[in-house]
PDB file of all heavy atoms in Angstrom:
ATOM      1  N   ASP E  15      64.647 146.954  51.904  1.00  0.00           N
ATOM      2  CA  ASP E  15      64.543 146.498  50.509  1.00  0.00           C
ATOM      3  C   ASP E  15      65.880 146.785  49.826  1.00  0.00           C
ATOM      4  O   ASP E  15      66.296 147.943  49.717  1.00  0.00           O
ATOM      5  CB  ASP E  15      63.388 147.209  49.794  1.00  0.00           C
ATOM      6  CG  ASP E  15      63.136 146.637  48.408  1.00  0.00           C
ATOM      7  OD1 ASP E  15      63.403 145.431  48.200  1.00  0.00           O
ATOM      8  OD2 ASP E  15      62.665 147.387  47.534  1.00  0.00           O
ATOM      9  N   VAL E  16      66.554 145.730  49.384  1.00  0.00           N
ATOM     10  CA  VAL E  16      67.869 145.839  48.750  1.00  0.00           C
ATOM     11  C   VAL E  16      67.680 146.042  47.245  1.00  0.00           C
ATOM     12  O   VAL E  16      66.939 145.296  46.607  1.00  0.00           O
ATOM     13  CB  VAL E  16      68.676 144.540  49.016  1.00  0.00           C
ATOM     14  CG1 VAL E  16      69.936 144.512  48.187  1.00  0.00           C
ATOM     15  CG2 VAL E  16      68.996 144.420  50.491  1.00  0.00           C
ATOM     16  N   GLY E  17      68.340 147.058  46.700  1.00  0.00           N
ATOM     17  CA  GLY E  17      68.157 147.356  45.273  1.00  0.00           C
ATOM     18  C   GLY E  17      66.761 147.902  45.032  1.00  0.00           C
ATOM     19  O   GLY E  17      66.058 147.485  44.121  1.00  0.00           O
ATOM     20  N   CYS E  18      66.395 148.895  45.856  1.00  0.00           N
ATOM     21  CA  CYS E  18      65.002 149.383  45.884  1.00  0.00           C
ATOM     22  C   CYS E  18      64.671 150.295  44.711  1.00  0.00           C
ATOM     23  O   CYS E  18      63.514 150.641  44.505  1.00  0.00           O
ATOM     24  CB  CYS E  18      64.749 150.112  47.192  1.00  0.00           C
ATOM     25  SG  CYS E  18      65.738 151.633  47.363  1.00  0.00           S
ATOM     26  N   ALA E  19      65.692 150.743  43.964  1.00  0.00           N
ATOM     27  CA  ALA E  19      65.509 151.722  42.875  1.00  0.00           C
ATOM     28  C   ALA E  19      64.736 152.941  43.389  1.00  0.00           C
ATOM     29  O   ALA E  19      65.080 153.478  44.440  1.00  0.00           O
ATOM     30  CB  ALA E  19      64.848 151.071  41.667  1.00  0.00           C
ATOM     31  N   GLU E  20      63.673 153.340  42.694  1.00  0.00           N
ATOM     32  CA  GLU E  20      62.932 154.548  43.097  1.00  0.00           C
ATOM     33  C   GLU E  20      61.986 154.297  44.266  1.00  0.00           C
ATOM     34  O   GLU E  20      61.181 155.156  44.619  1.00  0.00           O
ATOM     35  CB  GLU E  20      62.146 155.133  41.908  1.00  0.00           C
ATOM     36  CG  GLU E  20      63.008 155.742  40.829  1.00  0.00           C
ATOM     37  CD  GLU E  20      63.456 154.694  39.805  1.00  0.00           C
ATOM     38  OE1 GLU E  20      63.099 153.502  39.986  1.00  0.00           O
ATOM     39  OE2 GLU E  20      64.176 155.054  38.860  1.00  0.00           O
ATOM     40  N   THR E  22      59.461 152.080  44.711  1.00  0.00           N
ATOM     41  CA  THR E  22      58.036 151.809  44.468  1.00  0.00           C
ATOM     42  C   THR E  22      57.468 150.794  45.465  1.00  0.00           C
ATOM     43  O   THR E  22      56.438 151.037  46.102  1.00  0.00           O
ATOM     44  CB  THR E  22      57.845 151.282  43.029  1.00  0.00           C
ATOM     45  OG1 THR E  22      58.456 152.203  42.137  1.00  0.00           O
ATOM     46  CG2 THR E  22      56.372 151.124  42.696  1.00  0.00           C
ATOM     47  N   LEU E  39      67.790 150.540  50.056  1.00  0.00           N
ATOM     48  CA  LEU E  39      69.185 150.712  49.641  1.00  0.00           C
ATOM     49  C   LEU E  39      69.289 150.544  48.145  1.00  0.00           C
ATOM     50  O   LEU E  39      68.709 149.625  47.567  1.00  0.00           O
ATOM     51  CB  LEU E  39      70.084 149.646  50.271  1.00  0.00           C
ATOM     52  CG  LEU E  39      70.009 149.374  51.762  1.00  0.00           C
ATOM     53  CD1 LEU E  39      70.936 148.215  52.117  1.00  0.00           C
ATOM     54  CD2 LEU E  39      70.398 150.621  52.526  1.00  0.00           C
ATOM     55  N   ASP E  40      70.056 151.411  47.517  1.00  0.00           N
ATOM     56  CA  ASP E  40      70.340 151.214  46.095  1.00  0.00           C
ATOM     57  C   ASP E  40      71.664 151.901  45.769  1.00  0.00           C
ATOM     58  O   ASP E  40      72.039 152.907  46.387  1.00  0.00           O
ATOM     59  CB  ASP E  40      69.225 151.776  45.211  1.00  0.00           C
ATOM     60  CG  ASP E  40      69.227 151.152  43.826  1.00  0.00           C
ATOM     61  OD1 ASP E  40      70.096 151.520  42.996  1.00  0.00           O
ATOM     62  OD2 ASP E  40      68.381 150.268  43.564  1.00  0.00           O
ATOM     63  N   LEU E  41      72.321 151.342  44.752  1.00  0.00           N
ATOM     64  CA  LEU E  41      73.589 151.882  44.284  1.00  0.00           C
ATOM     65  C   LEU E  41      73.408 153.216  43.552  1.00  0.00           C
ATOM     66  O   LEU E  41      74.311 154.036  43.496  1.00  0.00           O
ATOM     67  CB  LEU E  41      74.170 150.847  43.306  1.00  0.00           C
ATOM     68  CG  LEU E  41      75.634 150.783  42.984  1.00  0.00           C
ATOM     69  CD1 LEU E  41      76.473 150.688  44.245  1.00  0.00           C
ATOM     70  CD2 LEU E  41      75.903 149.574  42.082  1.00  0.00           C
ATOM     71  N   SER E  42      72.224 153.408  42.995  1.00  0.00           N
ATOM     72  CA  SER E  42      71.985 154.560  42.126  1.00  0.00           C
ATOM     73  C   SER E  42      71.568 155.797  42.928  1.00  0.00           C
ATOM     74  O   SER E  42      70.492 155.824  43.539  1.00  0.00           O
ATOM     75  CB  SER E  42      70.888 154.213  41.106  1.00  0.00           C
ATOM     76  OG  SER E  42      70.386 155.393  40.525  1.00  0.00           O
ATOM     77  N   ALA E  45      68.263 157.241  41.569  1.00  0.00           N
ATOM     78  CA  ALA E  45      67.067 156.497  41.993  1.00  0.00           C
ATOM     79  C   ALA E  45      66.735 156.822  43.453  1.00  0.00           C
ATOM     80  O   ALA E  45      65.566 157.032  43.806  1.00  0.00           O
ATOM     81  CB  ALA E  45      67.292 154.994  41.819  1.00  0.00           C
ATOM     82  N   MET E  66      73.753 153.065  48.675  1.00  0.00           N
ATOM     83  CA  MET E  66      74.678 152.105  49.291  1.00  0.00           C
ATOM     84  C   MET E  66      74.880 150.918  48.362  1.00  0.00           C
ATOM     85  O   MET E  66      73.931 150.454  47.727  1.00  0.00           O
ATOM     86  CB  MET E  66      74.094 151.625  50.630  1.00  0.00           C
ATOM     87  CG  MET E  66      74.978 150.668  51.385  1.00  0.00           C
ATOM     88  SD  MET E  66      74.258 150.313  53.022  1.00  0.00           S
ATOM     89  CE  MET E  66      75.480 149.179  53.645  1.00  0.00           C
ATOM     90  N   ASN E  67      76.115 150.450  48.292  1.00  0.00           N
ATOM     91  CA  ASN E  67      76.397 149.205  47.592  1.00  0.00           C
ATOM     92  C   ASN E  67      76.035 148.061  48.535  1.00  0.00           C
ATOM     93  O   ASN E  67      76.651 147.906  49.592  1.00  0.00           O
ATOM     94  CB  ASN E  67      77.882 149.152  47.205  1.00  0.00           C
ATOM     95  CG  ASN E  67      78.224 147.891  46.450  1.00  0.00           C
ATOM     96  OD1 ASN E  67      77.420 146.969  46.339  1.00  0.00           O
ATOM     97  ND2 ASN E  67      79.431 147.859  45.898  1.00  0.00           N
ATOM     98  N   ALA E  68      75.045 147.272  48.149  1.00  0.00           N
ATOM     99  CA  ALA E  68      74.579 146.208  49.045  1.00  0.00           C
ATOM    100  C   ALA E  68      75.677 145.194  49.354  1.00  0.00           C
ATOM    101  O   ALA E  68      75.610 144.497  50.371  1.00  0.00           O
ATOM    102  CB  ALA E  68      73.368 145.509  48.439  1.00  0.00           C
ATOM    103  N   ALA E  69      76.694 145.125  48.504  1.00  0.00           N
ATOM    104  CA  ALA E  69      77.794 144.184  48.753  1.00  0.00           C
ATOM    105  C   ALA E  69      78.604 144.572  49.988  1.00  0.00           C
ATOM    106  O   ALA E  69      79.375 143.761  50.504  1.00  0.00           O
ATOM    107  CB  ALA E  69      78.708 144.107  47.530  1.00  0.00           C
ATOM    108  N   ALA E  86      64.368 141.596  48.228  1.00  0.00           N
ATOM    109  CA  ALA E  86      65.119 142.005  47.037  1.00  0.00           C
ATOM    110  C   ALA E  86      64.267 141.598  45.840  1.00  0.00           C
ATOM    111  O   ALA E  86      64.039 140.401  45.618  1.00  0.00           O
ATOM    112  CB  ALA E  86      66.484 141.323  46.988  1.00  0.00           C
ATOM    113  N   PHE E  87      63.756 142.582  45.129  1.00  0.00           N
ATOM    114  CA  PHE E  87      62.892 142.310  43.980  1.00  0.00           C
ATOM    115  C   PHE E  87      63.711 142.476  42.708  1.00  0.00           C
ATOM    116  O   PHE E  87      64.069 143.607  42.335  1.00  0.00           O
ATOM    117  CB  PHE E  87      61.689 143.272  43.963  1.00  0.00           C
ATOM    118  CG  PHE E  87      60.792 143.147  45.168  1.00  0.00           C
ATOM    119  CD1 PHE E  87      60.844 144.084  46.189  1.00  0.00           C
ATOM    120  CD2 PHE E  87      59.904 142.087  45.288  1.00  0.00           C
ATOM    121  CE1 PHE E  87      60.023 143.982  47.306  1.00  0.00           C
ATOM    122  CE2 PHE E  87      59.072 141.968  46.404  1.00  0.00           C
ATOM    123  CZ  PHE E  87      59.136 142.923  47.410  1.00  0.00           C
ATOM    124  N   ASP E  88      64.031 141.372  42.064  1.00  0.00           N
ATOM    125  CA  ASP E  88      64.744 141.433  40.783  1.00  0.00           C
ATOM    126  C   ASP E  88      66.044 142.236  40.922  1.00  0.00           C
ATOM    127  O   ASP E  88      66.404 143.012  40.051  1.00  0.00           O
ATOM    128  CB  ASP E  88      63.801 142.081  39.731  1.00  0.00           C
ATOM    129  CG  ASP E  88      64.349 142.014  38.318  1.00  0.00           C
ATOM    130  OD1 ASP E  88      65.119 141.083  38.012  1.00  0.00           O
ATOM    131  OD2 ASP E  88      64.011 142.915  37.514  1.00  0.00           O
ATOM    132  N   ALA E  89      66.725 142.065  42.030  1.00  0.00           N
ATOM    133  CA  ALA E  89      67.841 142.976  42.321  1.00  0.00           C
ATOM    134  C   ALA E  89      69.112 142.261  42.762  1.00  0.00           C
ATOM    135  O   ALA E  89      70.019 142.896  43.273  1.00  0.00           O
ATOM    136  CB  ALA E  89      67.407 143.968  43.416  1.00  0.00           C
ATOM    137  N   ASP E  92      71.907 140.840  38.777  1.00  0.00           N
ATOM    138  CA  ASP E  92      72.751 141.711  37.936  1.00  0.00           C
ATOM    139  C   ASP E  92      73.748 142.534  38.761  1.00  0.00           C
ATOM    140  O   ASP E  92      74.395 143.443  38.243  1.00  0.00           O
ATOM    141  CB  ASP E  92      71.927 142.598  36.990  1.00  0.00           C
ATOM    142  CG  ASP E  92      70.899 143.449  37.718  1.00  0.00           C
ATOM    143  OD1 ASP E  92      70.862 143.379  38.961  1.00  0.00           O
ATOM    144  OD2 ASP E  92      70.144 144.169  37.040  1.00  0.00           O
ATOM    145  N   GLN E  93      73.899 142.174  40.022  1.00  0.00           N
ATOM    146  CA  GLN E  93      74.925 142.846  40.827  1.00  0.00           C
ATOM    147  C   GLN E  93      76.301 142.260  40.485  1.00  0.00           C
ATOM    148  O   GLN E  93      76.418 141.096  40.116  1.00  0.00           O
ATOM    149  CB  GLN E  93      74.651 142.652  42.317  1.00  0.00           C
ATOM    150  CG  GLN E  93      73.346 143.316  42.736  1.00  0.00           C
ATOM    151  CD  GLN E  93      73.236 143.482  44.232  1.00  0.00           C
ATOM    152  OE1 GLN E  93      74.203 143.335  44.956  1.00  0.00           O
ATOM    153  NE2 GLN E  93      72.041 143.824  44.681  1.00  0.00           N
ATOM    154  N   THR E  94      77.320 143.075  40.664  1.00  0.00           N
ATOM    155  CA  THR E  94      78.670 142.585  40.354  1.00  0.00           C
ATOM    156  C   THR E  94      79.181 141.622  41.433  1.00  0.00           C
ATOM    157  O   THR E  94      79.985 140.749  41.150  1.00  0.00           O
ATOM    158  CB  THR E  94      79.660 143.766  40.212  1.00  0.00           C
ATOM    159  OG1 THR E  94      79.608 144.545  41.397  1.00  0.00           O
ATOM    160  CG2 THR E  94      79.314 144.622  39.010  1.00  0.00           C
ATOM    161  N   GLN E  95      78.693 141.800  42.682  1.00  0.00           N
ATOM    162  CA  GLN E  95      79.138 140.913  43.769  1.00  0.00           C
ATOM    163  C   GLN E  95      77.915 140.337  44.503  1.00  0.00           C
ATOM    164  O   GLN E  95      77.695 140.612  45.689  1.00  0.00           O
ATOM    165  CB  GLN E  95      80.008 141.698  44.756  1.00  0.00           C
ATOM    166  CG  GLN E  95      81.286 142.231  44.117  1.00  0.00           C
ATOM    167  CD  GLN E  95      81.828 143.414  44.913  1.00  0.00           C
ATOM    168  OE1 GLN E  95      81.319 144.525  44.848  1.00  0.00           O
ATOM    169  NE2 GLN E  95      82.843 143.155  45.698  1.00  0.00           N
ATOM    170  N   THR E  99      76.516 140.333  48.590  1.00  0.00           N
ATOM    171  CA  THR E  99      75.228 140.903  49.006  1.00  0.00           C
ATOM    172  C   THR E  99      74.409 139.881  49.780  1.00  0.00           C
ATOM    173  O   THR E  99      73.807 140.203  50.817  1.00  0.00           O
ATOM    174  CB  THR E  99      74.458 141.411  47.770  1.00  0.00           C
ATOM    175  OG1 THR E  99      75.192 142.505  47.221  1.00  0.00           O
ATOM    176  CG2 THR E  99      73.057 141.856  48.130  1.00  0.00           C
ATOM    177  N   HIS E 143      71.577 143.072  28.765  1.00  0.00           N
ATOM    178  CA  HIS E 143      71.618 143.992  29.913  1.00  0.00           C
ATOM    179  C   HIS E 143      72.267 143.383  31.155  1.00  0.00           C
ATOM    180  O   HIS E 143      73.301 143.866  31.625  1.00  0.00           O
ATOM    181  CB  HIS E 143      70.216 144.494  30.263  1.00  0.00           C
ATOM    182  CG  HIS E 143      70.200 145.348  31.500  1.00  0.00           C
ATOM    183  ND1 HIS E 143      70.690 146.642  31.523  1.00  0.00           N
ATOM    184  CD2 HIS E 143      69.821 145.074  32.777  1.00  0.00           C
ATOM    185  CE1 HIS E 143      70.603 147.126  32.750  1.00  0.00           C
ATOM    186  NE2 HIS E 143      70.073 146.201  33.525  1.00  0.00           N
TER     187      HIS E 143
HETATM  188  C1  SAM X  25      66.195 145.588  37.986  1.00  0.00           C
HETATM  189  S1  SAM X  25      66.336 146.881  39.156  1.00  0.00           S
HETATM  190  C2  SAM X  25      65.036 146.445  40.301  1.00  0.00           C
HETATM  191  C3  SAM X  25      64.574 147.625  41.077  1.00  0.00           C
HETATM  192  C4  SAM X  25      63.446 147.389  42.070  1.00  0.00           C
HETATM  193  N1  SAM X  25      63.778 146.399  43.086  1.00  0.00           N
HETATM  194  C5  SAM X  25      62.196 147.021  41.354  1.00  0.00           C
HETATM  195  O1  SAM X  25      61.693 145.880  41.495  1.00  0.00           O
HETATM  196  O2  SAM X  25      61.669 147.865  40.637  1.00  0.00           O
HETATM  197  C6  SAM X  25      67.824 146.462  40.050  1.00  0.00           C
HETATM  198  C7  SAM X  25      68.250 147.538  41.021  1.00  0.00           C
HETATM  199  O3  SAM X  25      69.378 147.061  41.757  1.00  0.00           O
HETATM  200  C8  SAM X  25      70.276 148.133  41.929  1.00  0.00           C
HETATM  201  N2  SAM X  25      71.605 147.606  42.231  1.00  0.00           N
HETATM  202  C9  SAM X  25      72.462 146.979  41.388  1.00  0.00           C
HETATM  203  N3  SAM X  25      73.585 146.643  42.024  1.00  0.00           N
HETATM  204  C10 SAM X  25      73.439 147.063  43.311  1.00  0.00           C
HETATM  205  C11 SAM X  25      74.269 147.012  44.460  1.00  0.00           C
HETATM  206  N4  SAM X  25      75.477 146.442  44.416  1.00  0.00           N
HETATM  207  N5  SAM X  25      73.811 147.556  45.612  1.00  0.00           N
HETATM  208  C12 SAM X  25      72.583 148.124  45.662  1.00  0.00           C
HETATM  209  N6  SAM X  25      71.750 148.199  44.605  1.00  0.00           N
HETATM  210  C13 SAM X  25      72.171 147.681  43.441  1.00  0.00           C
HETATM  211  C14 SAM X  25      70.192 148.908  40.628  1.00  0.00           C
HETATM  212  O4  SAM X  25      70.658 150.239  40.773  1.00  0.00           O
HETATM  213  C15 SAM X  25      68.702 148.817  40.330  1.00  0.00           C
HETATM  214  O5  SAM X  25      67.996 149.903  40.888  1.00  0.00           O
END
Side-chain angles (χ1 to χ4, degrees):
D15 187 29
V16 170
C18 65
E20 291 87 359
T22 307
L39 311 176
D40 201 284
L41 202 53
S42 164
M66 182 174 179
N67 181 351
F87 298 103
D88 188 28
D92 56 2
Q93 296 196 13
T94 55
Q95 297 158 284
T99 294
H143 175 73

